[in-house]
Coordinates of all heavy atoms in Angstrom, one line a residue:
M18 N 0.9 -1.2 -0.1 CA -0.1 0.0 0.0 C 0.8 1.2 0.0 O 1.9 1.3 0.7 CB -0.9 0.1 1.3 CG -1.9 -1.0 1.3 SD -3.5 -0.5 0.6 CE -4.2 -2.1 0.3
G19 N 0.4 2.3 -0.7 CA 1.1 3.5 -0.6 C 1.0 4.3 0.7 O 0.0 4.0 1.4
K20 N 2.0 5.1 1.0 CA 1.9 5.9 2.2 C 1.5 7.3 2.0 O 2.4 8.2 2.3 CB 3.2 5.7 3.0 CG 3.4 4.2 3.5 CD 4.6 4.2 4.5 CE 4.8 2.8 4.9 NZ 5.9 2.7 5.9
R21 N 0.4 7.5 1.3 CA 0.0 8.9 1.2 C -0.4 9.5 2.6 O -0.6 8.7 3.5 CB -1.1 8.9 0.3 CG -0.9 8.5 -1.2 CD -2.1 8.5 -2.1 NE -3.2 7.7 -1.5 CZ -3.5 6.5 -1.9 NH1 -2.7 5.9 -2.8 NH2 -4.4 5.9 -1.3
N22 N -0.6 10.8 2.7 CA -0.8 11.4 4.0 C -2.2 10.8 4.5 O -2.2 10.6 5.8 CB -0.9 12.9 3.7 CG -1.1 13.6 5.0 OD1 -0.7 13.1 6.1 ND2 -1.8 14.7 5.0
G23 N -3.2 10.6 3.8 CA -4.4 10.0 4.3 C -4.3 8.6 4.8 O -4.8 8.2 5.7
D24 N -3.4 7.8 4.1 CA -3.1 6.4 4.5 C -2.6 6.3 6.0 O -2.9 5.5 6.7 CB -2.2 5.8 3.5 CG -2.7 5.6 2.2 OD1 -4.1 5.6 2.1 OD2 -2.1 5.3 1.4
L25 N -1.7 7.2 6.3 CA -1.1 7.3 7.6 C -2.2 7.4 8.6 O -2.1 6.6 9.7 CB -0.1 8.5 7.8 CG 0.6 8.6 9.0 CD1 1.6 7.6 9.3 CD2 1.2 10.0 9.1
E26 N -3.1 8.2 8.5 CA -4.1 8.4 9.6 C -5.1 7.3 9.5 O -5.7 6.9 10.6 CB -4.8 9.8 9.4 CG -3.9 10.9 9.6 CD -4.6 12.2 9.5 OE1 -5.8 12.3 9.5 OE2 -3.8 13.3 9.4
I27 N -5.4 6.6 8.4 CA -6.3 5.5 8.4 C -5.8 4.4 9.2 O -6.6 3.8 10.0 CB -6.5 5.1 6.8 CG1 -7.4 6.1 6.2 CG2 -7.2 3.7 6.9 CD1 -7.6 5.9 4.7
G28 N -4.6 4.1 9.0 CA -4.0 2.9 9.8 C -4.0 3.3 11.3 O -4.3 2.4 12.2
K29 N -3.6 4.5 11.7 CA -3.7 4.9 13.1 C -5.1 4.8 13.7 O -5.3 4.3 14.8 CB -3.0 6.1 13.3 CG -1.6 6.2 13.1 CD -0.9 7.5 13.4 CE 0.6 7.4 13.4 NZ 1.2 8.7 13.8
R30 N -6.0 5.4 12.9 CA -7.4 5.3 13.4 C -8.0 3.8 13.5 O -8.8 3.5 14.4 CB -8.3 6.0 12.5 CG -8.1 7.6 12.6 CD -9.2 8.4 12.0 NE -9.2 8.2 10.5 CZ -8.7 9.0 9.6 NH1 -8.1 10.0 10.0 NH2 -8.8 8.7 8.4
A31 N -7.5 3.0 12.5 CA -7.8 1.6 12.6 C -7.4 0.9 14.0 O -8.2 0.3 14.6 CB -7.3 0.7 11.5
A32 N -6.1 1.2 14.3 CA -5.5 0.6 15.4 C -6.3 1.1 16.7 O -6.7 0.4 17.6 CB -4.1 0.9 15.6
E33 N -6.6 2.5 16.7 CA -7.3 3.2 17.8 C -8.6 2.6 17.9 O -9.1 2.4 19.1 CB -7.4 4.6 17.4 CG -8.2 5.5 18.3 CD -8.4 6.9 17.8 OE1 -7.5 7.4 17.2 OE2 -9.6 7.3 17.9
E34 N -9.3 2.4 16.9 CA -10.6 1.9 16.9 C -10.7 0.4 17.5 O -11.6 0.2 18.3 CB -11.4 1.9 15.5 CG -12.8 1.4 15.5 CD -13.7 2.5 16.2 OE1 -13.4 3.4 16.7 OE2 -15.0 2.1 16.3
L35 N -9.8 -0.4 17.2 CA -9.8 -1.7 17.7 C -9.4 -1.6 19.2 O -10.1 -2.4 20.0 CB -8.7 -2.6 17.1 CG -9.0 -3.1 15.7 CD1 -7.7 -3.7 15.1 CD2 -10.2 -4.1 15.8
L36 N -8.6 -0.8 19.6 CA -8.3 -0.8 21.1 C -9.5 -0.1 21.8 O -9.8 -0.4 23.0 CB -7.0 0.2 21.3 CG -5.7 -0.4 20.7 CD1 -4.6 0.6 20.9 CD2 -5.4 -1.7 21.5
R37 N -10.2 0.7 21.2 CA -11.5 1.3 21.8 C -12.6 0.3 21.9 O -13.2 0.2 22.9 CB -12.0 2.5 21.0 CG -13.2 3.2 21.6 CD -14.0 4.0 20.5 NE -14.6 3.3 19.5 CZ -15.7 2.6 19.5 NH1 -16.4 2.6 20.7 NH2 -16.2 1.8 18.4
L38 N -12.7 -0.6 21.0 CA -13.8 -1.4 20.8 C -13.5 -2.7 21.9 O -14.4 -3.2 22.4 CB -13.8 -2.2 19.4 CG -15.1 -3.1 19.2 CD1 -16.4 -2.4 19.4 CD2 -14.9 -3.7 17.7
F39 N -12.3 -3.1 22.0 CA -11.9 -4.2 23.1 C -11.0 -3.5 24.1 O -9.8 -3.9 24.2 CB -11.2 -5.2 22.2 CG -12.0 -5.8 21.1 CD1 -11.6 -5.6 19.8 CD2 -13.1 -6.5 21.3 CE1 -12.4 -6.2 18.7 CE2 -13.9 -7.0 20.3 CZ -13.5 -6.9 18.9
P40 N -11.5 -2.8 25.0 CA -10.6 -2.1 26.1 C -10.0 -3.1 27.0 O -9.0 -2.8 27.7 CB -11.7 -1.1 26.7 CG -12.9 -1.7 26.5 CD -12.9 -2.4 25.1
D41 N -10.6 -4.2 27.3 CA -10.2 -5.2 28.3 C -9.2 -6.3 27.7 O -8.8 -7.2 28.4 CB -11.3 -5.9 28.9 CG -12.2 -4.8 29.7 OD1 -11.6 -3.8 30.1 OD2 -13.3 -4.9 29.9
M42 N -9.0 -6.2 26.4 CA -8.1 -7.2 25.8 C -6.7 -6.5 25.5 O -6.6 -5.5 25.2 CB -8.7 -7.6 24.4 CG -10.0 -8.3 24.7 SD -10.9 -8.7 23.1 CE -9.9 -10.3 22.7
T43 N -5.8 -7.5 25.5 CA -4.4 -7.0 25.0 C -4.4 -6.9 23.5 O -5.2 -7.5 22.9 CB -3.3 -8.1 25.5 OG1 -3.6 -9.3 24.8 CG2 -3.4 -8.3 27.1
E44 N -3.3 -6.3 23.0 CA -3.2 -6.2 21.5 C -3.1 -7.6 21.0 O -3.8 -7.9 19.8 CB -2.1 -5.4 21.2 CG -2.3 -4.0 21.4 CD -1.0 -3.1 20.9 OE1 -0.1 -3.6 20.3 OE2 -1.1 -1.8 21.1
K45 N -2.4 -8.5 21.6 CA -2.2 -9.9 21.2 C -3.6 -10.5 21.1 O -4.0 -11.2 20.1 CB -1.3 -10.8 22.1 CG -1.1 -12.1 21.7 CD -0.1 -12.7 22.6 CE 0.2 -14.2 22.1 NZ 1.1 -15.0 23.1
Q46 N -4.5 -10.4 22.1 CA -5.8 -11.0 22.1 C -6.7 -10.5 21.0 O -7.4 -11.2 20.3 CB -6.4 -10.8 23.5 CG -5.8 -11.5 24.6 CD -6.3 -11.1 25.9 OE1 -6.6 -9.9 26.2 NE2 -6.4 -12.1 26.9
I47 N -6.5 -9.1 20.8 CA -7.4 -8.5 19.7 C -7.1 -9.1 18.4 O -7.9 -9.4 17.7 CB -7.2 -6.9 19.8 CG1 -7.7 -6.4 21.0 CG2 -7.8 -6.3 18.6 CD1 -7.4 -4.9 21.3
C48 N -5.7 -9.2 18.2 CA -5.2 -9.8 16.8 C -5.6 -11.1 16.7 O -6.1 -11.5 15.6 CB -3.7 -9.5 16.8 SG -3.3 -7.8 16.7
Q49 N -5.7 -11.9 17.7 CA -6.0 -13.4 17.6 C -7.6 -13.4 17.3 O -7.9 -14.2 16.5 CB -5.8 -14.1 18.9 CG -4.3 -14.5 19.1 CD -4.0 -15.0 20.4 OE1 -4.7 -14.9 21.5 NE2 -2.9 -15.7 20.6
R50 N -8.3 -12.7 18.0 CA -9.7 -12.5 17.8 C -10.1 -12.0 16.4 O -10.9 -12.6 15.7 CB -10.4 -11.6 18.8 CG -11.9 -11.4 18.6 CD -12.5 -10.5 19.4 NE -14.0 -10.3 19.0 CZ -14.9 -10.4 20.0 NH1 -14.7 -10.6 21.2 NH2 -16.2 -10.3 19.5
M51 N -9.4 -11.2 15.9 CA -9.6 -10.6 14.4 C -9.0 -11.4 13.3 O -9.4 -11.2 12.2 CB -9.1 -9.1 14.4 CG -9.7 -8.2 15.4 SD -11.4 -8.1 15.2 CE -11.6 -7.3 13.5
G52 N -8.0 -12.2 13.7 CA -7.5 -13.1 12.6 C -6.3 -12.5 12.0 O -6.2 -12.7 10.8
F53 N -5.6 -11.6 12.6 CA -4.4 -11.0 11.9 C -3.2 -11.0 12.9 O -3.4 -11.3 14.1 CB -4.6 -9.7 11.2 CG -5.3 -8.6 12.1 CD1 -4.6 -7.9 13.1 CD2 -6.6 -8.4 11.9 CE1 -5.2 -6.9 13.8 CE2 -7.2 -7.4 12.7 CZ -6.4 -6.6 13.6
N54 N -2.1 -10.6 12.4 CA -0.9 -10.7 13.2 C -0.7 -9.3 14.0 O -1.1 -8.3 13.5 CB 0.3 -11.0 12.2 CG 1.7 -11.2 12.8 OD1 2.1 -10.4 13.5 ND2 2.2 -12.4 12.3
R55 N 0.1 -9.5 15.0 CA 0.3 -8.2 15.8 C 1.2 -7.3 15.0 O 1.0 -6.1 15.2 CB 1.0 -8.6 17.2 CG 0.1 -9.0 18.2 CD 0.8 -9.5 19.4 NE 1.5 -8.2 20.0 CZ 2.3 -8.2 21.1 NH1 2.6 -9.5 21.6 NH2 2.9 -7.2 21.5
K56 N 2.0 -7.9 14.2 CA 2.8 -6.9 13.3 C 1.9 -6.1 12.3 O 2.3 -5.0 12.1 CB 3.8 -7.8 12.4 CG 4.8 -7.0 11.6 CD 5.7 -7.8 10.8 CE 6.6 -7.0 10.1 NZ 7.5 -7.8 9.1
D57 N 0.7 -6.6 11.9 CA -0.2 -5.9 11.2 C -0.7 -4.6 12.0 O -0.6 -3.4 11.4 CB -1.4 -6.6 10.8 CG -1.0 -7.7 9.7 OD1 -0.1 -7.5 9.0 OD2 -1.8 -8.8 9.8
L58 N -0.9 -4.9 13.2 CA -1.4 -3.6 14.0 C -0.3 -2.7 14.3 O -0.5 -1.5 14.1 CB -1.9 -4.2 15.4 CG -2.6 -3.3 16.3 CD1 -3.8 -2.6 15.7 CD2 -3.0 -4.0 17.6
W59 N 0.9 -3.2 14.5 CA 2.0 -2.3 14.7 C 2.3 -1.5 13.3 O 2.5 -0.3 13.4 CB 3.3 -3.2 15.1 CG 4.5 -2.2 15.3 CD1 4.7 -1.7 16.5 CD2 5.5 -1.9 14.4 NE1 5.9 -1.0 16.4 CE2 6.4 -1.0 15.1 CE3 5.8 -2.1 13.1 CZ2 7.5 -0.4 14.5 CZ3 6.8 -1.5 12.4 CH2 7.7 -0.7 13.1
N60 N 2.2 -2.1 12.2 CA 2.5 -1.5 10.9 C 1.3 -0.3 10.7 O 1.7 0.7 10.2 CB 2.3 -2.5 9.7 CG 3.6 -3.3 9.7 OD1 4.6 -3.0 10.2 ND2 3.6 -4.5 9.0
W61 N 0.1 -0.7 11.2 CA -0.9 0.4 11.0 C -0.6 1.6 11.8 O -0.7 2.8 11.4 CB -2.3 -0.1 11.5 CG -2.7 -1.2 10.7 CD1 -2.3 -1.8 9.4 CD2 -3.9 -2.1 10.9 NE1 -3.0 -2.9 9.0 CE2 -3.9 -3.0 10.0 CE3 -4.7 -2.2 12.0 CZ2 -4.9 -4.1 9.9 CZ3 -5.7 -3.2 12.0 CH2 -5.7 -4.2 11.0
K62 N -0.2 1.4 13.0 CA 0.3 2.5 14.0 C 1.4 3.2 13.4 O 1.6 4.4 13.6 CB 0.8 1.9 15.3 CG -0.4 1.5 16.1 CD 0.1 0.9 17.4 CE -0.9 0.4 18.4 NZ -0.5 -0.1 19.7
S63 N 2.3 2.6 12.4 CA 3.4 3.3 11.8 C 3.0 3.8 10.4 O 4.0 4.4 9.8 CB 4.5 2.2 11.6 OG 4.9 1.7 12.9
G64 N 1.7 3.8 9.9 CA 1.4 4.4 8.7 C 0.9 3.5 7.6 O 0.4 4.1 6.7
D65 N 0.9 2.2 7.8 CA 0.3 1.3 6.8 C -1.2 1.3 6.9 O -1.6 1.7 7.9 CB 0.8 0.0 6.9 CG 2.3 -0.4 6.4 OD1 2.8 0.6 5.7 OD2 2.8 -1.4 6.6
T66 N -1.9 0.9 5.9 CA -3.3 0.9 5.8 C -3.8 -0.6 5.7 O -3.2 -1.3 5.1 CB -3.8 1.6 4.5 OG1 -3.2 3.0 4.6 CG2 -5.3 1.8 4.5
P67 N -4.8 -0.9 6.5 CA -5.4 -2.1 6.5 C -6.1 -2.5 5.2 O -6.6 -1.6 4.5 CB -6.4 -2.2 7.6 CG -6.5 -0.8 8.1 CD -5.4 0.0 7.6
S68 N -6.1 -3.8 4.8 CA -6.7 -4.1 3.6 C -8.1 -3.9 3.7 O -8.8 -3.9 4.8 CB -6.3 -5.6 3.2 OG -7.0 -6.5 4.1
G69 N -8.8 -4.0 2.5 CA -10.2 -3.9 2.4 C -10.9 -5.2 3.2 O -12.0 -5.0 3.9
F70 N -10.3 -6.3 3.0 CA -10.7 -7.5 3.8 C -10.8 -7.3 5.2 O -11.7 -7.6 6.0 CB -9.9 -8.7 3.4 CG -10.4 -9.9 4.2 CD1 -11.4 -10.7 3.8 CD2 -9.5 -10.3 5.2 CE1 -11.7 -11.8 4.5 CE2 -9.9 -11.5 5.9 CZ -11.0 -12.3 5.6
L71 N -9.7 -6.7 5.8 CA -9.6 -6.5 7.2 C -10.5 -5.4 7.7 O -11.2 -5.6 8.7 CB -8.1 -6.2 7.6 CG -7.1 -7.4 7.5 CD1 -5.8 -7.0 7.9 CD2 -7.5 -8.7 8.3
L72 N -10.8 -4.4 6.9 CA -11.7 -3.4 7.3 C -13.1 -4.1 7.3 O -13.9 -3.7 8.2 CB -11.6 -2.2 6.2 CG -10.4 -1.2 6.4 CD1 -10.3 -0.4 5.2 CD2 -10.3 -0.5 7.7
Q73 N -13.4 -4.9 6.4 CA -14.7 -5.6 6.4 C -14.8 -6.4 7.7 O -15.9 -6.3 8.3 CB -14.8 -6.3 5.2 CG -16.2 -7.1 5.1 CD -16.4 -8.0 3.8 OE1 -15.4 -8.6 3.5 NE2 -17.6 -8.0 3.4
R74 N -13.8 -7.1 8.1 CA -13.9 -7.9 9.2 C -14.1 -7.0 10.5 O -14.8 -7.3 11.4 CB -12.5 -8.7 9.4 CG -12.3 -9.5 10.6 CD -12.9 -10.9 10.5 NE -12.6 -11.6 11.6 CZ -13.4 -11.9 12.6 NH1 -14.7 -11.4 12.6 NH2 -13.0 -12.6 13.7
M75 N -13.4 -5.9 10.5 CA -13.5 -5.0 11.5 C -15.0 -4.4 11.7 O -15.5 -4.2 12.8 CB -12.5 -3.8 11.5 CG -11.0 -4.2 11.7 SD -9.9 -3.0 11.1 CE -10.1 -1.8 12.5
C76 N -15.5 -4.1 10.5 CA -16.8 -3.7 10.4 C -17.8 -4.7 11.2 O -18.7 -4.4 11.9 CB -17.3 -3.4 9.0 SG -19.0 -2.7 8.9
F77 N -17.6 -5.9 10.8 CA -18.5 -7.0 11.2 C -18.4 -7.2 12.8 O -19.3 -7.6 13.5 CB -18.1 -8.4 10.6 CG -18.7 -8.5 9.2 CD1 -17.8 -9.3 8.3 CD2 -19.8 -7.9 8.6 CE1 -18.2 -9.3 6.9 CE2 -20.2 -8.0 7.4 CZ -19.5 -8.7 6.5
E78 N -17.1 -6.9 13.3 CA -17.0 -6.9 14.7 C -17.5 -5.7 15.5 O -17.5 -5.6 16.8 CB -15.5 -7.0 15.0 CG -15.1 -8.5 14.7 CD -15.5 -9.5 15.7 OE1 -15.8 -9.3 16.8 OE2 -15.6 -10.7 15.2
G79 N -17.9 -4.7 14.8 CA -18.5 -3.5 15.4 C -17.7 -2.2 15.3 O -18.0 -1.1 16.0
C80 N -16.5 -2.2 14.6 CA -15.7 -1.0 14.6 C -16.4 0.0 13.6 O -17.2 -0.4 12.7 CB -14.4 -1.4 13.8 SG -13.2 -2.2 14.9
D81 N -16.3 1.2 13.9 CA -16.8 2.4 13.0 C -15.8 2.6 11.9 O -14.9 3.4 12.0 CB -16.9 3.6 14.0 CG -17.7 4.7 13.3 OD1 -17.9 4.6 12.1 OD2 -17.9 5.7 14.1
V82 N -16.1 1.9 10.8 CA -15.3 2.0 9.6 C -15.3 3.3 8.9 O -14.4 3.8 8.4 CB -15.6 0.8 8.7 CG1 -14.7 0.9 7.4 CG2 -15.2 -0.6 9.3
K83 N -16.6 4.0 9.1 CA -16.6 5.3 8.6 C -15.7 6.2 9.2 O -14.9 7.0 8.5 CB -18.0 5.9 8.8 CG -18.2 7.2 8.3 CD -19.6 7.8 8.4 CE -19.8 9.2 7.9 NZ -21.1 9.7 8.0
Y84 N -15.5 6.1 10.5 CA -14.5 6.9 11.3 C -13.1 6.6 10.8 O -12.2 7.4 10.6 CB -14.5 6.7 12.8 CG -13.5 7.1 13.5 CD1 -13.2 8.6 13.7 CD2 -12.4 6.3 14.1 CE1 -12.1 9.0 14.4 CE2 -11.4 6.8 14.8 CZ -11.2 8.1 14.9 OH -10.1 8.7 15.6
I85 N -12.8 5.2 10.6 CA -11.4 4.9 10.2 C -11.1 5.5 9.0 O -10.0 6.0 8.8 CB -11.3 3.3 10.1 CG1 -11.5 2.7 11.5 CG2 -10.1 2.8 9.5 CD1 -11.6 1.2 11.5
L86 N -12.0 5.5 7.9 CA -11.7 6.0 6.5 C -11.8 7.4 6.5 O -11.0 8.1 5.7 CB -12.7 5.3 5.7 CG -12.6 3.9 5.5 CD1 -13.7 3.3 4.6 CD2 -11.2 3.4 4.9
T87 N -12.6 8.2 7.3 CA -12.9 9.6 7.1 C -12.4 10.5 8.3 O -12.3 11.6 8.1 CB -14.3 9.9 6.8 OG1 -15.1 9.6 8.1 CG2 -14.9 9.1 5.6
G88 N -12.3 9.8 9.5 CA -12.1 10.6 10.7 C -13.2 11.2 11.3 O -13.2 11.9 12.3
R89 N -14.5 10.8 10.8 CA -15.7 11.3 11.4 C -16.5 10.1 12.0 O -16.7 9.1 11.3 CB -16.6 11.8 10.3 CG -15.9 13.1 9.7 CD -16.7 13.8 8.7 NE -16.1 14.9 8.1 CZ -16.2 15.3 6.8 NH1 -17.0 14.6 6.1 NH2 -15.6 16.4 6.4
R90 N -16.9 10.3 13.2 CA -17.6 9.2 13.9 C -19.1 9.1 13.3 O -19.7 10.1 12.8 CB -17.8 9.6 15.3 CG -16.6 9.4 16.1 CD -16.5 8.0 16.7 NE -15.2 7.8 17.3 CZ -14.6 6.6 17.2 NH1 -15.1 5.6 16.7 NH2 -13.4 6.5 17.8
E91 N -19.6 7.9 13.2 CA -20.9 7.6 12.8 C -21.8 8.0 13.9 O -21.6 7.7 15.1 CB -21.1 6.1 12.6 CG -22.5 5.7 12.1 CD -22.7 6.1 10.7 OE1 -21.7 6.1 9.9 OE2 -23.8 6.5 10.3
K92 N -22.8 8.9 13.5 CA -23.8 9.4 14.6 C -24.7 8.2 15.0 O -25.2 7.5 14.0 CB -24.5 10.6 14.1 CG -23.6 11.7 13.8 CD -24.5 13.0 13.6 CE -23.7 14.1 13.3 NZ -22.6 14.7 13.3
K93 N -25.1 8.1 16.3 CA -26.0 7.1 16.7 C -27.2 7.5 17.2 O -27.4 8.7 17.7 CB -25.3 6.2 17.7 CG -24.1 5.4 17.0 CD -23.4 4.5 18.0 CE -22.4 3.8 17.2 NZ -21.9 2.7 18.0

C-alpha cells in the first residue's frame, strides 16, 4: 500500500478503533480474535493501511469503519 498522507491516519485510526472496541483485551488477544498478526497492528500504527478485507472484518466486529476511513464518527 502507498503511504499517502491520508493512509497514515487511516492505519492509526484503525488501531485506535480496535483498542477502543476491546478495552479489556491485550493487543495480542485483539489480533487473535480478529485473525491477523500483531505486526499488522504495529504497521498500522506506523502508517500502513489495513486491507479492504480486514476493514470488512472490523466492520462485522463493530468497528466504526466510517471513522477509520474519514475521521468522522458515525452518529448514533
Side-chain angles (χ1 to χ4, degrees):
M18 296 268 162
K20 290 189 178 183
R21 295 179 305 262
N22 190 25
D24 291 345
L25 177 71
E26 294 184 17
I27 289 172
K29 287 185 177 184
R30 286 192 299 262
E33 172 192 320
E34 184 66 5
L35 283 170
L36 296 172
R37 181 197 67 80
L38 187 64
F39 302 111
D41 298 328
M42 296 175 80
T43 66
E44 287 185 3
K45 182 179 180 179
Q46 291 170 327
I47 292 170
C48 292
Q49 287 174 339
R50 177 184 176 130
M51 298 300 294
F53 51 78
N54 192 304
R55 278 180 65 191
K56 186 177 179 185
D57 292 327
L58 188 60
W59 185 85
N60 287 341
W61 299 347
K62 290 179 179 182
S63 300
D65 283 351
T66 302
S68 70
F70 174 78
L71 292 179
L72 286 171
Q73 181 182 34
R74 174 88 172 104
M75 292 170 70
C76 180
F77 290 144
E78 287 290 329
C80 288
D81 185 349
V82 176
K83 179 179 180 179
Y84 167 72
I85 294 170
L86 295 175
T87 67
R89 296 181 183 148
R90 287 264 174 219
E91 186 68 38
K92 294 190 183 351
K93 295 184 180 198

